[in-house]
Amino acid sequence: MVDIFKNLNQNQIEAVKTTEGRVRVVAGAGSGKTRVLAHRYAYLVREFGISSSNILCMTFTNKAAQEMKNRIAKLVDKAYVNDYICTIHSFCVKFLRKEIHRIGYPKNFAIIDSLDEKALAKDVMAEMELDDAYTVKQFLDEVEIYKSINPYIEQIILPDRKNQLEAKCESYIICYILLQLETFSLDFKDLIEYTLYILNNFEDAKIYWQEQFNYIMVDEVQDCSRSDWKIIDILSQFYNNLFIVGDPDQSIYEWRGAVPENFINFKSDRDFILDENYRSTQNILNVANSIISNNKKRIPKNLYTQKSSDYIAVHFHGKSEEEEGNWIANQIKSLVKQGYDYGDFAVLYRASFISRVIEQALLKHHIKYIVWGGVRFFERKEIKDVLGYLRLISYKDDLSFKRIINTPSRKFGKVSLKKLQDLANEKKMLLYDTLVKYKDLPVFNKKSILDFINLIEECRAFGTTKSISDLLAYILDASGLISMYRKDSDQEQLDNISELINSIKYYEVSNAEEENLSLDIYLQDISLYTNADYKNSGTSVKLMTIHQSKGLEFPFVFVCNLTEGIFPSHRSIRERKRDGEEEERRLMYVAVTRAEKGLFLTESEGYNSSFKLEKYPSRFIKEIDENLIKVDGKIDPILYKGTEYLVNSIENEINPNDVIEGLNIGDRVKHKIFGEGEIVGVNSGHSYRINFNGKFRTILEEFLIYLGKK
Ligand code: ATP
Ligand code: MG
C-alpha cells in the first residue's frame, strides 16, 4: 500500500494530520488540494481506524467526484471506497432515499433532469393556456426564483395535499409544483431544498446524519451555494470536524448561485495555504497568473513550481476556423509521433457548440475523440432535426421522414404513422411518397400535414436557385422548427443550430467557385461527420467545456476559439457586468491551469455569422505577457484593434459604476422577465422587494441588474 505521506510537502502533511476541528485549505490550482483531501481520507481510515462510512467527501461535478474517488482508491483498500465520496446532489439522493418518507414521499421518488422539467413545464403551459410569448425557459426561471424565495415545501408540498391536487391550481407556478408532487419528482434544486428541510425539521433525522459523519470534507468549496453551505453546516455541527478546500480564483458557478464569500469568511480553527504547484510548468503557471492578475476582486497568491518548462505556450492564429481545427489535429499527431498517447490531450472550449469545428478536424484526420459530459455535435437532437429536413428534401428517406413528420408537432402520432407505414408496405413505396399520394385520405387530410407536404415540395422545387443556407433559413422558419426551439429557449440548442448555419455559410464561401453547389453534394460532403463510426477502442482525445474540466489535469491542453465575444462571452458580461467578466477570466484561469506540460491557445479569423461577429482574438490572449508565449501563424496587429474596439463597445454598454454590491430602496433595477422596477424593501439574505409597474415581487440579488438611482 502506498505510503500516505509520500510525495506530500510539509504543509500538506500538516493539513492531512490536522484531523480535528474546522480546517480550511485555500490554495491555487494544482497545489495539491484534492491530493491532501484524498490522503487525509486514507490517513483517517488507515491510521485512525475510522470506518469509511463515517466520512463524507463531497464536490460539485461528477467528473471531479470521480477523480476524488479514483485517487482515494489508490490509497486505501477497495472496501473503504464508499458511496459517500460523491457530489452534493448524489449525497442528497442517498439522504432522501432514507428520509423522504417523513414528508410522505416514497423512497423511489423520481429525479427529473432538465429535459423532464421542460416537458412538465410544457404540460402546465398548455393546460393553463399561457400566452405564446412566454417561453419554457422563462417559465422555469420563474419556478426557480419562486423556489428560492418561498418556503414552498411548507406552503405547497406539505399542507392538505389531497385537496390541493383536486382543487384548481391558483397560479401556474403552483400548478407546476403540484404536478411535480403528483409524480413525486424532484429536480436538482429540490434535492438540496428537501434535504435542508428535513434536516431543519426532523430532529432525529438530523441527529442520525450528524452522528453518521465523524468527518466531512468538501472539495471545490468556492462553488457552494447558500443552501449547500447550510447542509454542510448542519451536518458538521455535532462532531465539528469539517475540512474545506478551495480556490476563490476558480469560482465559476456564481451565475448559478455559488457564494464564494462563505468560503472566504469561514471561521476556521486552522488555515493552510499551499503555494507550490505540482501540476504545471513554470511557463504555464506564469501564463495563468498574467491572466488572473487582471481581476480586481481577488486576493493575490504566490504560486510557484519547480517543474521546468520543456514547451513554451503557443498562441496559434488561423486564417479560418478550418485552419484552426487542422492545426490542432496536426499538433496532436506530431506529439503522438513523439511518443505521447491520444489520451494525453484535452481540447477545452467555452461553449459546447464550439466542438463542431474541432470534431470535424479530428474526424478528417482520423483522430479518435470523445466528448466528455456531452453529445457529439452531429448527434445532438436539434442538429439531427435540422439535417432531417434537408435530408428529406434531398432523399425522401423514411428515417428522416419519421424523425421530422411530428417535429414540431403536427398531430401525427404513432397511430397515424402506423397507418401510413402499413399503406407504404402494401404499396412498396417510401413513407413520404405514400403520404403525398394518399394525402386526401381522411386520416391524413389535415391542414398541418398538407402544409408540411407543401413545404417539402416547395423546397424541392427550389433546386439550386436558393443557396443551402437560405434554404435552411427558410425551412427553419416555415416548418415551425425554430419557433419550437425558441419557445423552449434553450440557449445551447439555439447556439448549436446557429453554429450549423454558420458552418454551412462557411462551406458555401469555401466552395464558392463550385457552380451549382447542390444540397445533395453538401449532404454527401458532411456524411463523413454525420455517419462517422464511433467505435472507440484504445485511448482518445478528450473534448469538453471548461466547466466540465474542473479539478482535472491533462499533459497537453488546447483552449480553442479564443475569440473576443465568445470567450469571454459577451452574453455573460451583458448579463452580469463586471462580475460576469471576472467570472469569465476565472474560467480562463481554470482552463489554462489544467495543463501539465503543454498549453496551446487557438483562435482564427473570419466572420461568425451566428454571432454576427467579425472574429478578433480574445482579450485574454492580449493579457498574457508577450515573453511567455510563442505566436504561430501570421497575425496582423490590426486585429488587436478589433479586439480593443469590441472590448470598448461592451465596456460602454455596461456602465462601469454599476457593480451590484448591496442595493438600496429607490434603486432602479432590471429583471430579465419582469422588466424594470424599483426597490421598495430590502430583506435579509440578499433579496429585495421590488415594484414592477405596480406589481410587487421579491427577488434575489443575483437575478437583478442595477440601472441607477431613481
Ligand atoms: P485544482 O485546483 O485544479 O483542483 P488541486 O489543488 O486540487 O488542483 P491536485 O489535483 O491535488 O491539485 O494536484 C495537482 C497535481 O500535483 C496532481 O497530479 C497531484 O498528484 C500532484 N501533487 C500534489 N502534491 C504533490 C506533492 N507534494 N508532490 C508531488 N506531486 C504532487
Ligand atoms: Mg482539485
Side-chain angles (χ1 to χ4, degrees), residues 584-595:
E584 291 289 307
R585 196 173 279 109
R586 290 193 295 269
L587 201 52
M588 179 67 182
Y589 176 78
V590 168
V592 167
T593 54
R594 298 309 95 202

Side-chain angles (χ1 to χ4, degrees), residues 7 12 30-35 71 250 279 553 594:
N7 285 336
Q12 291 174 321
S31 57
K33 296 184 296 298
T34 306
R35 186 177 174 92
R71 290 195 192 181
Q250 295 185 66
R279 176 181 296 145
E553 52 194 17
R594 298 309 95 202

Side-chain angles (χ1 to χ4, degrees), residues 66 125 186 207 229 281 375 432 565 604 628 646 692:
Q66 196 54 50
M125 289 169 76
L186 273 62
I207 292 173
W229 271 107
T281 64
V375 178
Y432 178 74
S604 55
L628 297 175
L646 287 181
F692 292 100

Side-chain angles (χ1 to χ4, degrees), residues 329-496:
N330 284 324
Q331 291 296 313
I332 294 175
K333 282 209 292 207
S334 102
L335 282 159
V336 166
K337 267 202 198 117
Q338 291 173 34
Y340 291 104
D341 189 277
Y342 285 113
D344 291 337
F345 300 88
V347 185
L348 311 182
Y349 34 79
R350 173 66 183 87
S352 53
F353 75 88
I354 296 167
S355 75
R356 200 259 319 156
V357 173
I358 313 303
E359 290 188 53
Q360 287 193 336
L362 295 179
L363 283 165
K364 218 168 66 191
H365 289 261
H366 307 290
I367 296 174
K368 281 182 290 188
Y369 71 92
I370 44 171
V371 178
W372 263 17
V375 178
R376 286 163 188 266
F377 185 83
F378 287 99
E379 285 177 5
R380 294 175 193 162
K381 179 185 177 308
E382 56 280 13
I383 299 303
K384 286 184 137 185
D385 288 347
V386 173
L387 290 176
Y389 275 88
L390 294 182
R391 284 224 172 83
L392 187 73
I393 291 165
S394 234
Y395 309 143
K396 299 203 236 168
D397 62 304
D398 286 358
L399 208 65
S400 304
F401 178 85
K402 283 193 219 160
R403 172 153 209 109
I404 63 166
I405 179 65
N406 214 23
T407 310
S409 168
R410 299 187 174 88
K411 306 242 174 329
F412 196 90
K414 283 198 182 109
V415 178
S416 314
L417 186 62
K418 169 89 173 56
K419 284 190 180 136
L420 182 65
Q421 184 79 62
D422 289 346
L423 194 58
N425 291 348
E426 186 193 319
K427 306 283 175 203
K428 297 200 169 34
M429 281 166 68
L430 290 169
L431 290 169
Y432 178 74
D433 286 340
T434 316
L435 184 67
V436 173
K437 189 158 178 201
Y438 296 97
K439 61 179 183 295
D440 295 330
L441 288 182
V443 39
F444 306 132
N445 194 348
K446 291 184 219 165
K447 181 169 181 313
S448 56
I449 297 302
L450 299 180
D451 285 350
F452 173 76
I453 294 173
N454 286 341
L455 173 68
I456 301 297
E457 289 305 305
E458 185 186 10
C459 292
R460 290 174 64 79
F462 286 143
T464 48
T465 59
K466 249 191 200 318
S467 68
I468 307 163
S469 51
D470 285 346
L471 175 72
L472 181 53
Y474 181 72
I475 296 168
L476 282 171
D477 194 34
S479 65
L481 201 56
I482 203 71
S483 62
M484 176 183 98
Y485 281 117
R486 283 222 180 93
K487 206 153 164 37
D488 284 359
S489 191
D490 182 324
Q491 198 54 48
E492 206 167 292
Q493 289 183 323
L494 290 171
D495 284 348
N496 283 332

Side-chain angles (χ1 to χ4, degrees), residues 34 219-220 551:
T34 306
D219 199 358
E220 308 274 6

